[in-house]
Structure formats: C-alpha cells, structure tokens
Amino acid sequence: MPDNIRNQTLLITGANRGIGKEILDQVIRRDAKKVYAAVRDPRSVAPLIAQHGERVVAVRVDLNDPNSIIEAAGVAKDVDIVINSAGIMKMKSALEPDAIDALQAEIEINVYGLMRVAQAFAPVLNQNGGGVFVQLNSVASVKASANFATYCASKAASYSITQGLRDLLSRQGTRVISAHPGPTQTDMGASAGFGDFATPVSQVADAILDAIDGEAFHAWVGPLAQMVSRSYQAFVDNVIDGDMQAIRAQAFGIDEQQNVSN
C-alpha cells in the first residue's frame, strides 16, 4: 500500500456518507495524522469520532453556504490534502419541466461548491507547502446520459473548472487530481439505478487515494471509467495535457519563435 497518507492532515467534504466516508475510513487506516470531516451537520460525524477517536474532527461545511467554507478554512489551517467529495445528483433529463431547476441546484453544489472550496483552501495549501487538491468528478464528466443529463452537465462543468485549477494551483506547488469514478455502490448510485455491476465504494476510495501517490491528473476508477479512458486518452495526451500555446500556433499557422520575439 502506498505511504502517501501517513502523517498527513486531510479535509474531506461529504465525509459522513458514500465515497467520502469510505475515504475517511481508509485514510485513518493509512495512518493519517488528522482528518477534518467537512459536513453540513457536524453531529452526523459522531459515529466516526466514536470509531476513530480524536484524529477525526467535525467541521461544518455546506457547499451552498460560502461563509461555512471560509470559516472551515480558518479552522483547518493545517491541511495538506483537500478532497472535495460532496455532490448532488437530480436524475433529470433535459426535457423534464423541472430540469432547469435541477441543473441550477446541481451547478450550485457541484460547480460553485468546488470553486468555493478551492478559493478558501488554496491559500491554506500554499501556506503548508503546496499539498494536493482532489476533486471528485465522474465518468459522466465526459459522456452524458439522457436520463440524468443535468447531472452530467454539472459534472462536465466541474471537470472544466478542475482543469483550470490544475494550471493555477501548480504555480504554488499544489497538485490537482480529477477523479472520475464510474457507477459506484452508493446511495446516489442506487437512486440512479446502478445494479450489482457498480464498483464497490471501497475500491473507488482506494483508487482515489492511490492516485495521490502518482503523477497523473486523471484518476479513472472502475471498469466503465477505465474503458472510457482508453478511448479518451489520445485527447488527454494531445489536448488536456498538451501545450495550448503550441496547439494554437499549429492551428493558426503561427511561427512560435516569431510570436515570442514580437
């Protein structure tokens, strides 16, 4: 098992259920120094504190409440790794009467929430030497499904923001990881109709944590996500991980040397 978590201090949003809870359990087993369980209702963390002891600290974070995130950053001044796991899914197609309301709610949490967490904790990570910022995106970030198109759209937007964060936060030495699980055995997965083929939550959490020990920007988790990634990899290599200035120069026939000299 990689030793990438030992003695580290983490903050995990959505740590009281689903993938976030499993990540918390696993980082404790990997000898994390401390874990801030960032949840809307800190009382819900009581069972985790009873199980793991004082290494788990409850802190209120509501991705829909910017002040709660700012206050949490003031409390968790010692974090080395931030994992933004919280999110919502509304199971709406684009043609349903309340689809726009659903998308607005998903954008508020899945996109604006990500931005609020990044804005609040980027200075903290910088002060602590850089660290790691992990965003839980989805295979739905790159492939929409008609029956929950609004969720897919919100995850595509969060993936785009995550790409921008990678470029910005690299300047302060913070590594950004975009995690893309496929169907997962969580309450959210069950509501989406994912059956026994969904990936166990323990495998998803394990893969995300192992990614912190690597160098890749993407973490494709589970059989479906890994299959999608094989087709998507050429685009990642040439565009996502590519030099956009060189791509523009090639597209518009610009002489890079001449452009630099001018």
Side-chain angles (χ1 to χ4, degrees):
M1 180 182 294
D3 195 30
N4 51 337
I5 301 299
R6 184 184 296 273
N7 294 325
Q8 298 294 295
T9 296
L10 297 91
L11 179 136
I12 305 169
T13 67
N16 57 343
R17 60 185 299 182
I19 295 173
K21 180 180 180 296
E22 182 64 29
I23 290 173
L24 184 145
D25 289 338
Q26 287 205 27
V27 299
I28 291 294
R29 290 198 294 271
R30 295 187 187 206
D31 293 327
K33 180 180 180 180
K34 184 194 298 184
V35 184
Y36 292 100
V39 299
R40 286 181 294 176
D41 182 0
R43 293 173 298 180
S44 67
V45 181
L48 295 172
I49 295 174
Q51 179 182 357
H52 297 301
E54 62 184 14
R55 283 193 294 166
V56 175
V57 178
V59 59
R60 180 177 177 271
V61 165
D62 182 343
L63 296 187
N64 200 29
D65 178 359
N67 288 333
S68 74
I69 301 170
I70 294 169
E71 290 170 5
V75 171
K77 295 180 179 179
D78 53 346
V79 294
D80 305 296
I81 300 170
V82 172
I83 301 178
N84 187 43
S85 174
I88 62 170
M89 179 187 216
K90 289 292 187 180
M91 293 297 298
K92 298 294 180 182
S93 75
L95 297 181
E96 294 185 59
D98 56 350
I100 291 175
D101 290 338
L103 179 56
Q104 287 175 334
E106 289 162 327
I107 290 288
E108 186 70 39
I109 299 300
N110 298 343
V111 184
Y112 299 160
L114 160 62
M115 295 170 68
R116 291 166 181 148
V117 172
Q119 288 170 1
F121 281 94
V124 178
L125 291 172
N126 185 31
Q127 175 126 16
N128 294 333
V132 182
F133 187 98
V134 182
Q135 166 61 20
L136 190 67
N137 286 316
S138 170
V139 70
S141 306
V142 298
K143 170 58 181 173
S145 294
N147 290 337
F148 45 100
T150 62
Y151 171 78
C152 297
S154 73
K155 282 300 183 178
S158 70
Y159 177 36
S160 183
I161 293 294
T162 308
Q163 292 175 48
L165 288 173
R166 176 180 66 163
D167 295 340
L168 289 173
L169 295 184
S170 66
R171 301 171 190 174
Q172 66 176 41
T174 298
R175 181 165 168 244
V176 173
I177 298 173
S178 184
H180 297 258
T184 305
Q185 292 176 7
T186 61
D187 292 343
M188 184 183 292
S191 69
F194 302 150
D196 293 338
F197 63 87
T199 302
V201 69
S202 59
Q203 293 182 21
V204 174
D206 194 51
I208 290 171
L209 293 177
D210 286 350
I212 295 174
D213 201 49
E215 298 181 355
F217 171 56
H218 295 91
W220 301 97
V221 184
L224 177 62
Q226 290 170 2
M227 181 173 288
V228 169
S229 77
R230 288 193 285 273
S231 298
Y232 188 63
Q233 192 59 47
F235 181 76
V236 171
D237 293 340
N238 294 312
V239 180
I240 304 296
D241 290 341
D243 181 342
M244 202 62 206
Q245 183 174 348
I247 293 171
R248 282 195 298 266
Q250 183 177 1
F252 297 109
I254 301 170
D255 185 321
E256 287 188 75
Q257 290 298 113
Q258 181 181 1
N259 191 46
V260 170
S261 65
N262 291 337

mmCIF file of all heavy atoms in Angstrom, residues 4 16-17 21 25-26 35 76 97 109 120 129 134 136-137 140 147 162 170 174 176-177 183 186 199 203 206 240:
data_model
loop_
_atom_site.group_PDB
_atom_site.id
_atom_site.type_symbol
_atom_site.label_atom_id
_atom_site.label_comp_id
_atom_site.label_asym_id
_atom_site.label_seq_id
_atom_site.Cartn_x
_atom_site.Cartn_y
_atom_site.Cartn_z
ATOM 1 N N ASN A 4 1.397 7.376 0.998
ATOM 2 C CA ASN A 4 1.183 8.777 0.647
ATOM 3 C C ASN A 4 0.309 9.537 1.630
ATOM 4 O O ASN A 4 0.207 10.757 1.546
ATOM 5 C CB ASN A 4 0.541 8.875 -0.751
ATOM 6 C CG ASN A 4 -0.686 7.980 -0.894
ATOM 7 O OD1 ASN A 4 -0.840 7.009 -0.168
ATOM 8 N ND2 ASN A 4 -1.545 8.298 -1.830
ATOM 9 N N ASN A 16 -19.401 12.012 5.722
ATOM 10 C CA ASN A 16 -20.279 11.212 6.570
ATOM 11 C C ASN A 16 -21.060 10.147 5.810
ATOM 12 O O ASN A 16 -21.855 9.423 6.404
ATOM 13 C CB ASN A 16 -21.253 12.115 7.338
ATOM 14 C CG ASN A 16 -22.086 12.992 6.415
ATOM 15 O OD1 ASN A 16 -21.749 13.175 5.239
ATOM 16 N ND2 ASN A 16 -23.154 13.552 6.938
ATOM 17 N N ARG A 17 -20.828 10.036 4.491
ATOM 18 C CA ARG A 17 -21.564 9.028 3.722
ATOM 19 C C ARG A 17 -20.854 8.756 2.398
ATOM 20 O O ARG A 17 -20.006 9.532 1.950
ATOM 21 C CB ARG A 17 -23.003 9.489 3.450
ATOM 22 C CG ARG A 17 -23.094 10.772 2.662
ATOM 23 C CD ARG A 17 -24.522 11.256 2.530
ATOM 24 N NE ARG A 17 -25.351 10.284 1.820
ATOM 25 C CZ ARG A 17 -26.635 10.468 1.538
ATOM 26 N NH1 ARG A 17 -27.248 11.568 1.942
ATOM 27 N NH2 ARG A 17 -27.320 9.555 0.858
ATOM 28 N N LYS A 21 -17.110 9.048 3.107
ATOM 29 C CA LYS A 21 -16.954 8.283 4.350
ATOM 30 C C LYS A 21 -15.937 7.168 4.180
ATOM 31 O O LYS A 21 -15.109 6.917 5.065
ATOM 32 C CB LYS A 21 -18.295 7.713 4.795
ATOM 33 C CG LYS A 21 -18.221 6.892 6.078
ATOM 34 C CD LYS A 21 -19.583 6.358 6.462
ATOM 35 C CE LYS A 21 -19.505 5.535 7.750
ATOM 36 N NZ LYS A 21 -18.661 4.324 7.578
ATOM 37 N N ASP A 25 -12.459 6.539 6.270
ATOM 38 C CA ASP A 25 -12.079 5.288 6.923
ATOM 39 C C ASP A 25 -10.726 4.792 6.430
ATOM 40 O O ASP A 25 -9.895 4.320 7.223
ATOM 41 C CB ASP A 25 -13.143 4.213 6.659
ATOM 42 C CG ASP A 25 -14.447 4.465 7.407
ATOM 43 O OD1 ASP A 25 -14.416 5.184 8.420
ATOM 44 O OD2 ASP A 25 -15.492 3.945 6.970
ATOM 45 N N GLN A 26 -10.497 4.912 5.130
ATOM 46 C CA GLN A 26 -9.243 4.402 4.574
ATOM 47 C C GLN A 26 -8.040 5.260 4.962
ATOM 48 O O GLN A 26 -6.958 4.736 5.229
ATOM 49 C CB GLN A 26 -9.335 4.293 3.054
ATOM 50 C CG GLN A 26 -10.207 3.142 2.593
ATOM 51 C CD GLN A 26 -9.843 2.647 1.214
ATOM 52 O OE1 GLN A 26 -8.701 2.771 0.769
ATOM 53 N NE2 GLN A 26 -10.802 2.063 0.522
ATOM 54 N N VAL A 35 -8.036 14.035 10.298
ATOM 55 C CA VAL A 35 -8.981 14.192 9.202
ATOM 56 C C VAL A 35 -10.102 15.123 9.643
ATOM 57 O O VAL A 35 -10.792 14.853 10.635
ATOM 58 C CB VAL A 35 -9.600 12.845 8.769
ATOM 59 C CG1 VAL A 35 -10.497 13.061 7.548
ATOM 60 C CG2 VAL A 35 -8.522 11.814 8.468
ATOM 61 N N ALA A 76 -9.335 24.722 9.807
ATOM 62 C CA ALA A 76 -8.441 23.676 9.295
ATOM 63 C C ALA A 76 -7.213 24.297 8.633
ATOM 64 O O ALA A 76 -6.968 24.115 7.437
ATOM 65 C CB ALA A 76 -9.202 22.787 8.319
ATOM 66 N N PRO A 97 -40.008 19.127 -17.067
ATOM 67 C CA PRO A 97 -40.401 20.505 -16.733
ATOM 68 C C PRO A 97 -39.509 21.171 -15.691
ATOM 69 O O PRO A 97 -39.295 22.380 -15.746
ATOM 70 C CB PRO A 97 -41.840 20.341 -16.213
ATOM 71 C CG PRO A 97 -42.331 19.077 -16.845
ATOM 72 C CD PRO A 97 -41.137 18.187 -16.949
ATOM 73 N N ILE A 109 -24.052 23.243 -6.202
ATOM 74 C CA ILE A 109 -23.242 22.383 -5.343
ATOM 75 C C ILE A 109 -22.015 21.841 -6.077
ATOM 76 O O ILE A 109 -20.878 21.942 -5.589
ATOM 77 C CB ILE A 109 -24.083 21.205 -4.806
ATOM 78 C CG1 ILE A 109 -25.252 21.726 -3.967
ATOM 79 C CG2 ILE A 109 -23.213 20.252 -3.994
ATOM 80 C CD1 ILE A 109 -24.855 22.534 -2.761
ATOM 81 N N ALA A 120 -11.210 28.998 -0.905
ATOM 82 C CA ALA A 120 -10.945 29.078 0.533
ATOM 83 C C ALA A 120 -9.686 28.336 0.928
ATOM 84 O O ALA A 120 -8.939 28.794 1.816
ATOM 85 C CB ALA A 120 -12.145 28.525 1.310
ATOM 86 N N GLY A 129 2.873 24.391 2.101
ATOM 87 C CA GLY A 129 3.863 23.805 1.204
ATOM 88 C C GLY A 129 3.336 23.278 -0.109
ATOM 89 O O GLY A 129 4.081 22.680 -0.884
ATOM 90 N N VAL A 134 -7.956 17.284 -4.460
ATOM 91 C CA VAL A 134 -8.626 16.238 -5.235
ATOM 92 C C VAL A 134 -10.082 16.613 -5.430
ATOM 93 O O VAL A 134 -10.794 16.906 -4.460
ATOM 94 C CB VAL A 134 -8.546 14.873 -4.513
ATOM 95 C CG1 VAL A 134 -9.219 13.787 -5.362
ATOM 96 C CG2 VAL A 134 -7.097 14.502 -4.209
ATOM 97 N N LEU A 136 -13.705 15.184 -6.832
ATOM 98 C CA LEU A 136 -14.442 14.007 -7.253
ATOM 99 C C LEU A 136 -15.372 14.395 -8.398
ATOM 100 O O LEU A 136 -16.447 14.962 -8.183
ATOM 101 C CB LEU A 136 -15.241 13.432 -6.085
ATOM 102 C CG LEU A 136 -15.859 12.063 -6.350
ATOM 103 C CD1 LEU A 136 -14.765 11.012 -6.497
ATOM 104 C CD2 LEU A 136 -16.806 11.678 -5.227
ATOM 105 N N ASN A 137 -14.942 14.103 -9.618
ATOM 106 C CA ASN A 137 -15.773 14.316 -10.795
ATOM 107 C C ASN A 137 -16.479 13.005 -11.131
ATOM 108 O O ASN A 137 -16.970 12.336 -10.242
ATOM 109 C CB ASN A 137 -14.929 14.870 -11.941
ATOM 110 C CG ASN A 137 -14.563 16.333 -11.702
ATOM 111 O OD1 ASN A 137 -15.402 17.130 -11.297
ATOM 112 N ND2 ASN A 137 -13.314 16.700 -11.936
ATOM 113 N N ALA A 140 -19.269 10.647 -15.990
ATOM 114 C CA ALA A 140 -20.300 11.483 -16.605
ATOM 115 C C ALA A 140 -19.780 12.849 -17.010
ATOM 116 O O ALA A 140 -20.463 13.582 -17.722
ATOM 117 C CB ALA A 140 -21.481 11.642 -15.644
ATOM 118 N N ASN A 147 -30.974 10.326 -19.375
ATOM 119 C CA ASN A 147 -31.893 10.295 -18.235
ATOM 120 C C ASN A 147 -31.434 11.126 -17.049
ATOM 121 O O ASN A 147 -32.234 11.427 -16.169
ATOM 122 C CB ASN A 147 -32.137 8.852 -17.792
ATOM 123 C CG ASN A 147 -32.950 8.072 -18.799
ATOM 124 O OD1 ASN A 147 -33.681 8.650 -19.597
ATOM 125 N ND2 ASN A 147 -32.806 6.757 -18.783
ATOM 126 N N THR A 162 -11.903 22.079 -12.801
ATOM 127 C CA THR A 162 -10.766 21.332 -12.249
ATOM 128 C C THR A 162 -9.537 21.465 -13.135
ATOM 129 O O THR A 162 -8.411 21.577 -12.640
ATOM 130 C CB THR A 162 -11.138 19.846 -12.068
ATOM 131 O OG1 THR A 162 -12.359 19.743 -11.328
ATOM 132 C CG2 THR A 162 -10.050 19.105 -11.308
ATOM 133 N N SER A 170 -0.830 24.779 -9.751
ATOM 134 C CA SER A 170 0.532 24.273 -9.959
ATOM 135 C C SER A 170 1.567 25.358 -9.709
ATOM 136 O O SER A 170 2.708 25.069 -9.328
ATOM 137 C CB SER A 170 0.691 23.726 -11.381
ATOM 138 O OG SER A 170 0.585 24.766 -12.345
ATOM 139 N N THR A 174 0.778 23.140 -5.681
ATOM 140 C CA THR A 174 -0.335 22.275 -5.305
ATOM 141 C C THR A 174 -0.706 21.369 -6.472
ATOM 142 O O THR A 174 -0.979 21.855 -7.569
ATOM 143 C CB THR A 174 -1.573 23.101 -4.898
ATOM 144 O OG1 THR A 174 -1.257 23.902 -3.761
ATOM 145 C CG2 THR A 174 -2.738 22.190 -4.555
ATOM 146 N N VAL A 176 -3.218 18.935 -8.416
ATOM 147 C CA VAL A 176 -4.663 18.753 -8.545
ATOM 148 C C VAL A 176 -4.931 17.420 -9.238
ATOM 149 O O VAL A 176 -4.287 17.086 -10.238
ATOM 150 C CB VAL A 176 -5.300 19.912 -9.332
ATOM 151 C CG1 VAL A 176 -6.779 19.639 -9.605
ATOM 152 C CG2 VAL A 176 -5.139 21.224 -8.566
ATOM 153 N N ILE A 177 -5.893 16.675 -8.689
ATOM 154 C CA ILE A 177 -6.296 15.393 -9.259
ATOM 155 C C ILE A 177 -7.779 15.456 -9.581
ATOM 156 O O ILE A 177 -8.595 15.874 -8.754
ATOM 157 C CB ILE A 177 -6.024 14.234 -8.285
ATOM 158 C CG1 ILE A 177 -4.522 14.117 -7.999
ATOM 159 C CG2 ILE A 177 -6.565 12.918 -8.842
ATOM 160 C CD1 ILE A 177 -4.189 13.110 -6.908
ATOM 161 N N PRO A 183 -20.042 3.968 -12.372
ATOM 162 C CA PRO A 183 -21.113 3.610 -11.442
ATOM 163 C C PRO A 183 -20.552 3.014 -10.157
ATOM 164 O O PRO A 183 -19.696 2.127 -10.190
ATOM 165 C CB PRO A 183 -21.921 2.572 -12.230
ATOM 166 C CG PRO A 183 -21.637 2.889 -13.667
ATOM 167 C CD PRO A 183 -20.222 3.356 -13.707
ATOM 168 N N THR A 186 -23.209 3.333 -4.034
ATOM 169 C CA THR A 186 -23.549 4.306 -3.000
ATOM 170 C C THR A 186 -25.058 4.540 -3.044
ATOM 171 O O THR A 186 -25.744 4.053 -3.939
ATOM 172 C CB THR A 186 -22.830 5.648 -3.246
ATOM 173 O OG1 THR A 186 -23.251 6.166 -4.525
ATOM 174 C CG2 THR A 186 -21.315 5.474 -3.249
ATOM 175 N N THR A 199 -19.234 -0.423 -9.029
ATOM 176 C CA THR A 199 -17.983 -0.691 -8.320
ATOM 177 C C THR A 199 -18.160 -0.485 -6.821
ATOM 178 O O THR A 199 -18.739 0.519 -6.403
ATOM 179 C CB THR A 199 -16.880 0.246 -8.844
ATOM 180 O OG1 THR A 199 -16.731 0.053 -10.252
ATOM 181 C CG2 THR A 199 -15.544 -0.038 -8.154
ATOM 182 N N GLN A 203 -13.309 0.108 -3.342
ATOM 183 C CA GLN A 203 -12.370 0.126 -4.465
ATOM 184 C C GLN A 203 -12.216 1.539 -5.027
ATOM 185 O O GLN A 203 -11.122 1.932 -5.439
ATOM 186 C CB GLN A 203 -12.831 -0.833 -5.553
ATOM 187 C CG GLN A 203 -12.772 -2.296 -5.162
ATOM 188 C CD GLN A 203 -13.196 -3.223 -6.292
ATOM 189 O OE1 GLN A 203 -13.175 -2.854 -7.474
ATOM 190 N NE2 GLN A 203 -13.601 -4.441 -5.939
ATOM 191 N N ASP A 206 -10.084 3.542 -2.552
ATOM 192 C CA ASP A 206 -8.704 3.049 -2.601
ATOM 193 C C ASP A 206 -7.983 3.589 -3.831
ATOM 194 O O ASP A 206 -6.837 4.045 -3.752
ATOM 195 C CB ASP A 206 -8.723 1.523 -2.613
ATOM 196 C CG ASP A 206 -7.349 0.927 -2.327
ATOM 197 O OD1 ASP A 206 -6.727 1.321 -1.331
ATOM 198 O OD2 ASP A 206 -6.907 0.059 -3.108
ATOM 199 N N ILE A 240 -5.691 17.964 -23.328
ATOM 200 C CA ILE A 240 -5.778 18.264 -21.892
ATOM 201 C C ILE A 240 -4.391 18.451 -21.296
ATOM 202 O O ILE A 240 -4.132 19.411 -20.554
ATOM 203 C CB ILE A 240 -6.541 17.164 -21.140
ATOM 204 C CG1 ILE A 240 -7.936 16.958 -21.735
ATOM 205 C CG2 ILE A 240 -6.634 17.512 -19.646
ATOM 206 C CD1 ILE A 240 -8.854 18.141 -21.609
#
